[in-house]
Amino acid sequence: MKKEDAISLDHGSGGRASHELITRVFLPGFDNALLDSLEDSTVFEVGDHRMAFSTDSYTVDPIFFPGGDIGCLAVHGTVNDIAMRGAEPLYLSVGFIIEEGFPMADLERILKSMKEAADTAGVQIITGDTKVVNRGSVDKIFINTSGIGIIKSKSDIAGKNARVGDSVLVSGTMGDHGVAVLSMREGLSFKAPIQSDSAPLNGLVADMMAASDMIHAMRDPTRGGLVTTLNEIALQSDVGIELVEDQIPLREGVEGACELLGLDPLYLANEGKLIAFVDPADVQKVLETMKKNPYGRESVVIGTVVAENQGKVFMKTGIGGTRILDMLTGEQLPRIC
Amino acid sequence: MKKEDAISLDHGSGGRASHELITRVFLPGFDNALLDSLEDSTVFEVGDHRMAFSTDSYTVDPIFFPGGDIGCLAVHGTVNDIAMRGAEPLYLSVGFIIEEGFPMADLERILKSMKEAADTAGVQIITGDTKVVNRGSVDKIFINTSGIGIIKSKSDIAGKNARVGDSVLVSGTMGDHGVAVLSMREGLSFKAPIQSDSAPLNGLVADMMAASDMIHAMRDPTRGGLVTTLNEIALQSDVGIELVEDQIPLREGVEGACELLGLDPLYLANEGKLIAFVDPADVQKVLETMKKNPYGRESVVIGTVVAENQGKVFMKTGIGGTRILDMLTGEQLPRIC
C-alpha cells in the first residue's frame, strides 16, 4: 500500500495532515453546512435557543500523568470545546472502550476524576455507554465525551470571525500538557516536574463574556498547539496573525524540556488554555477580567490580527526579524490527548 | 489480580455483569438523577423543549459484514437509541479512533455508508473528531456516535413505564445481526447468508406514535438480545413479562445457525428491531401501522405484562410449561456492535 493510501499518525496530529484529511475526505463525505463550520463545536438552533454540540475521543498515553488523567481530560476537553463558542456547557455523554483485564481500581479512579471535573465545571454526565473488547484490541482505555451547551449571549464567537485590528490574547503558558505527558511517557524526570494544565475554561469564558461583547473568536490550542490553532483561525477568518515572540508565556521547565527533547512548545498541546481575539477597544477590560480568574492569571496579549499575509501566522522575533509559522507538519506527539 | 478486580468481557456483554458494573460502579461514581434513568437515551429540558441525548461506541468485528458495516451501524444505533424515547433524532456527532495504517479506501467506504444511513434516517452529522493511534493500540477502527433528538409529543415513553396488561410487540425477527456478524467472523458460510438487520427505526417510531398515544415503553434489543432487554424493562417497571415461545419470530437460517453454534437467538443482538409496550386498547391499531412500515412488516405480539413475578421474564413454552428467562450471564459475543 502506498503511503497516501493509508491513515498515518500525521492524520491525527491536529496539524496539516489532519486538516487535509478533514477537508478532502470527511467534509465531502458528510457534506452538510453545519459540519463545514470546522469549529470545535457546532451551533444549532432549537426553537429560540442556540445550542452547541461537540465530541472528542481521548486516547492519551499514559492514562495517569502529572496534573491529571484521561478522566478529567475527557471532561475538560469537551467542556472547553463548547465554551469556545461562547456556550455554557450543560450536559456530557461518556463512552468507554475498555480492554479486557483493565484494573477495576483504575476505572474507579478515572470515574472519580471525571465526577470531580464535571462538578467543578458545573456540568452533568447524563448518558453513557461501555464496551469491553478483547485483550489487545485497545490499549487499556479510550474515552469519548460529547457535550451540549447553550448560548445565552447574542455574540457569534467563531474561528471565522477574527477581524483585522483584533488583539490576540492567551490565558497562560504554552506547552505544559504536552511536556507533562511526554515526560511521563519517556520516563524523564525533571527537578520540578511539569504538570498538565488540564482545566475547565467555561468559568473564565463566562467572566470574559460578561466583561465584553467584542470577543470575536476563541479556541483552545490542544493538538498542534498554539501555532497550528492560530493557522486555522488565520485561514477561516482570511486574515494574517502577527505574534511577538517575547510575549508568549512559557514555563521555564517547559522551555528546558523542549530544548532537551528537540520539541517546539508552540506546537505542543495545551488542555487548560484559550486564545481569544478581542476588539482593541475592549482588550484591557478583558485582560484584567481574565487575570482575576484562577485559570487566567498569566493572561497576556501575544499579537495582533493584520490585513497582510492572509491565512498565515508570522512572528516578530527578539532580534527584529520575521518568520512564518506554519501548521504542524507530521506528528509531533501521538496520543497526547 | 483477582477476577473481580479486573474488567472482563462479561462487563461489556449488555447482560448481568454489565448491569452490575453500571449500578455498582458507574451510577454511584457519577451520581446524578438524569443518568440514573438507565434509558437508552436521557431526556433533558431546554426552555419548553424536551430533548433526548444518547451515546454509543461501536467496536464491531469484522467492520464489514453481510447487511452492513461499522459505519451504518454507528448511525442506526444512535438514531434508534434516541427514537426509543419517542424523540425525533436531529443531529449526530462522530468520533473516530483509527489505527495507523488503516486503508484510506476502507475509511471512505465507511464514511459513505454513514452518510447514506444519515440521509435515510433524516439526521445530520454536524460535529466530529478523529484520533489516530499507533499500530496495535486499537484494532482497525472504533467509532463513537452521540445524538440529539427532540420530543414533540407529550408522551413519556420510557423503560420504567410498562404497565400490567400491556401487550409486548416486536417489529420483526430476532438475532439476525448477531448471526450475521458471528458467521462472518468465524468464516462460516450458509446457503442463504444471514444479513444484519441494521436499520434506522425513527420512521417506524414516528408512524407508531402518530397512531397511538398509549405506547408506554420502547427499546431496541441490541447487546444481550430480546431477553436481556425485556429483563431490564421488567426491573425498571417492576412488572413481570410473560412471553409466548411460538410467537417470537425467527428467521429459519438464524435458527439453524444458532443450533449449529450453540447460541440462543433470544440473547443475540438486533440492530434494526424494536420492542414496544402498548396499552391493549391500541394494540391492533399499532400493529397494523407497524406492518405498513418497511421496517415493521413482520411485527407481532409476543407477550403480555403481568403483575406476578415482578422484575422477571418468563416464557410459556410450546409444550405448555413455563420457564424463567434470565439476563444474559457471561459474554456470548464480544464486539458484536
Side-chain angles (χ1 to χ4, degrees):
Chain A
M1 195 153 51
K2 280 186 290 183
K3 190 174 174 297
E4 60 270 30
D5 293 341
I7 293 290
S8 70
L9 288 174
D10 292 3
H11 286 119
S13 67
R16 181 161 306 283
S18 299
H19 187 79
E20 285 175 7
L21 180 69
I22 290 167
T23 52
R24 289 193 194 164
V25 179
F26 286 114
L27 294 189
F30 288 140
D31 181 29
N32 73 66
L34 289 173
L35 185 63
D36 282 354
S37 72
L38 276 181
E39 300 285 347
D40 282 353
S41 56
T42 300
V43 173
F44 65 94
E45 289 176 15
V46 174
D48 297 335
H49 302 279
R50 281 198 303 152
M51 310 199 64
F53 187 27
S54 184
T55 193
D56 246 327
S57 299
Y58 299 85
T59 63
V60 66
D61 172 38
I63 55 175
F64 301 105
F65 47 81
D69 56 65
I70 192 171
C72 71
L73 189 68
V75 172
H76 295 151
T78 294
V79 161
N80 294 347
D81 281 345
I82 292 168
M84 293 308 124
R85 296 302 299 274
E88 180 189 315
L90 298 174
Y91 299 116
L92 299 187
S93 66
V94 57
F96 295 98
I97 302 173
I98 311 176
E99 187 179 22
E100 178 189 9
F102 187 75
M104 190 68 83
D106 285 353
L107 178 61
E108 286 171 350
R109 185 175 161 194
I110 289 166
L111 294 181
K112 187 161 176 287
S113 171
M114 294 188 82
K115 165 73 171 153
E116 284 169 4
D119 286 349
T120 304
V123 297
Q124 282 188 293
I125 297 167
I126 64 169
T127 188
D129 173 57
T130 304
K131 294 291 187 304
V132 180
V133 298
N134 317 63
R135 236 174 259 266
S137 290
V138 75
D139 184 21
K140 296 187 275 293
I141 185 168
F142 292 168
I143 301 177
N144 175 283
T145 52
S146 301
I148 299 174
I150 188 157
I151 301 180
K152 290 187 172 162
S153 99
K154 292 207 188 325
S155 317
D156 180 20
I157 297 175
K160 69 176 195 297
N161 289 340
R163 296 185 201 165
V164 172
D166 279 355
S167 294
V168 183
L169 286 73
V170 294
S171 62
T173 54
M174 292 289 108
D176 300 17
H177 176 75
V179 167
V181 171
L182 190 64
S183 306
M184 179 90 183
R185 197 189 304 171
E186 303 297 325
L188 302 177
S189 64
F190 300 104
K191 264 184 213 154
I194 304 296
Q195 303 274 315
S196 165
D197 56 351
S198 184
L201 298 175
N202 51 328
L204 176 61
V205 168
D207 290 352
M208 293 165 66
M209 291 179 68
S212 168
D213 56 4
M214 292 200 283
I215 301 165
H216 299 143
M218 283 192 290
R219 197 156 292 173
D220 57 335
T222 56
R223 273 186 294 177
L226 174 70
V227 169
T228 301
T229 306
L230 289 176
N231 266 282
E232 288 169 12
I233 294 177
L235 282 172
Q236 289 180 311
S237 293
D238 213 16
V239 295
I241 297 174
E242 184 180 292
L243 300 180
V244 182
E245 187 167 30
D246 300 343
Q247 292 300 313
I248 300 172
L250 292 176
R251 221 168 280 295
E252 205 179 316
V254 168
E255 271 194 290
C258 282
E259 274 174 32
L260 193 71
L261 297 163
L263 295 169
D264 186 337
L266 304 189
Y267 289 92
L268 286 184
N270 309 279
E271 294 291 344
K273 300 289 158 52
L274 64 80
I275 312 172
F277 290 72
V278 182
D279 191 284
D282 273 5
V283 169
Q284 281 315 313
K285 200 160 59 174
V286 172
L287 196 58
E288 279 160 31
T289 304
M290 291 173 76
K291 286 182 169 174
K292 284 180 195 150
N293 185 292
Y295 299 121
R297 285 210 191 93
E298 298 173 287
S299 296
V300 65
V301 176
I302 60 166
T304 316
V305 178
V306 296
E308 307 87 67
N309 290 308
Q310 285 178 356
K312 300 222 181 300
V313 179
F314 52 105
M315 175 101 95
K316 283 193 171 170
T317 59
I319 54 167
T322 296
R323 61 183 169 102
I324 294 283
L325 298 174
D326 205 353
M327 273 194 189
L328 178 64
T329 52
E331 167 82 348
Q332 217 182 9
L333 279 177
R335 298 185 61 188
I336 199 68
C337 59
Chain B
M1 194 152 53
K2 280 185 290 183
K3 191 173 174 296
E4 60 269 31
D5 293 340
I7 293 290
S8 70
L9 288 174
D10 292 2
H11 287 120
S13 66
R16 181 160 306 283
S18 299
H19 187 79
E20 285 176 5
L21 181 70
I22 291 168
T23 50
R24 290 194 193 165
V25 179
F26 287 115
L27 294 188
F30 289 140
D31 180 29
N32 73 65
L34 288 174
L35 184 63
D36 282 354
S37 72
L38 277 181
E39 299 286 347
D40 282 352
S41 57
T42 300
V43 173
F44 64 94
E45 289 176 14
V46 175
D48 297 335
H49 302 279
R50 281 198 304 153
M51 310 200 64
F53 187 27
S54 184
T55 193
D56 247 327
S57 299
Y58 299 85
T59 63
V60 66
D61 171 38
I63 55 176
F64 301 105
F65 48 81
D69 56 65
I70 191 170
C72 70
L73 189 67
V75 171
H76 295 150
T78 295
V79 160
N80 294 348
D81 281 345
I82 293 168
M84 294 307 123
R85 296 303 299 274
E88 180 189 315
L90 299 174
Y91 300 115
L92 299 187
S93 66
V94 57
F96 296 99
I97 302 174
I98 311 176
E99 186 179 23
E100 178 188 10
F102 187 75
M104 190 69 82
D106 285 354
L107 178 61
E108 286 171 351
R109 184 175 163 195
I110 289 167
L111 294 181
K112 188 162 176 285
S113 170
M114 293 187 83
K115 164 75 171 152
E116 285 170 4
D119 285 350
T120 304
V123 297
Q124 284 189 291
I125 297 167
I126 64 168
T127 188
D129 173 59
T130 305
K131 294 290 186 304
V132 181
V133 298
N134 317 62
R135 235 176 260 267
S137 290
V138 77
D139 184 20
K140 297 188 274 296
I141 185 168
F142 291 168
I143 301 178
N144 175 284
T145 52
S146 301
I148 299 174
I150 188 158
I151 302 179
K152 290 186 172 162
S153 98
K154 291 208 189 325
S155 316
D156 179 20
I157 297 175
K160 68 176 194 297
N161 290 340
R163 296 185 202 165
V164 172
D166 279 355
S167 293
V168 183
L169 286 73
V170 293
S171 62
T173 54
M174 292 289 108
D176 299 17
H177 175 77
V179 167
V181 170
L182 190 64
S183 306
M184 179 89 182
R185 196 191 300 171
E186 304 295 326
L188 302 177
S189 64
F190 300 103
K191 265 185 213 156
I194 304 297
Q195 303 274 315
S196 165
D197 56 352
S198 185
L201 298 175
N202 50 328
L204 175 62
V205 169
D207 290 353
M208 293 165 66
M209 290 178 68
S212 167
D213 56 5
M214 291 200 285
I215 301 165
H216 299 143
M218 283 191 289
R219 197 155 292 172
D220 57 335
T222 56
R223 272 184 295 177
L226 174 71
V227 169
T228 302
T229 306
L230 289 175
N231 267 281
E232 288 169 10
I233 293 177
L235 282 173
Q236 290 180 311
S237 293
D238 212 16
V239 295
I241 298 175
E242 183 179 292
L243 301 181
V244 182
E245 187 167 32
D246 300 343
Q247 292 300 312
I248 300 172
L250 293 175
R251 219 169 281 294
E252 203 179 318
V254 168
E255 272 193 289
C258 282
E259 275 174 30
L260 193 70
L261 296 163
L263 295 170
D264 184 337
L266 304 189
Y267 289 92
L268 286 185
N270 308 278
E271 294 291 345
K273 300 289 158 49
L274 63 80
I275 312 171
F277 290 73
V278 181
D279 192 285
D282 273 6
V283 168
Q284 281 315 312
K285 199 159 60 173
V286 172
L287 195 59
E288 278 160 31
T289 304
M290 291 173 76
K291 286 181 170 175
K292 284 180 196 151
N293 184 291
Y295 299 121
R297 284 210 192 92
E298 298 173 285
S299 296
V300 64
V301 176
I302 60 165
T304 316
V305 178
V306 296
E308 309 86 69
N309 290 309
Q310 286 179 355
K312 302 224 180 299
V313 179
F314 52 105
M315 176 101 95
K316 282 194 172 169
T317 59
I319 52 166
T322 295
R323 62 185 168 104
I324 293 283
L325 299 175
D326 205 353
M327 275 195 187
L328 178 63
T329 51
E331 167 82 350
Q332 217 182 10
L333 279 177
R335 297 185 62 187
I336 199 69
C337 61

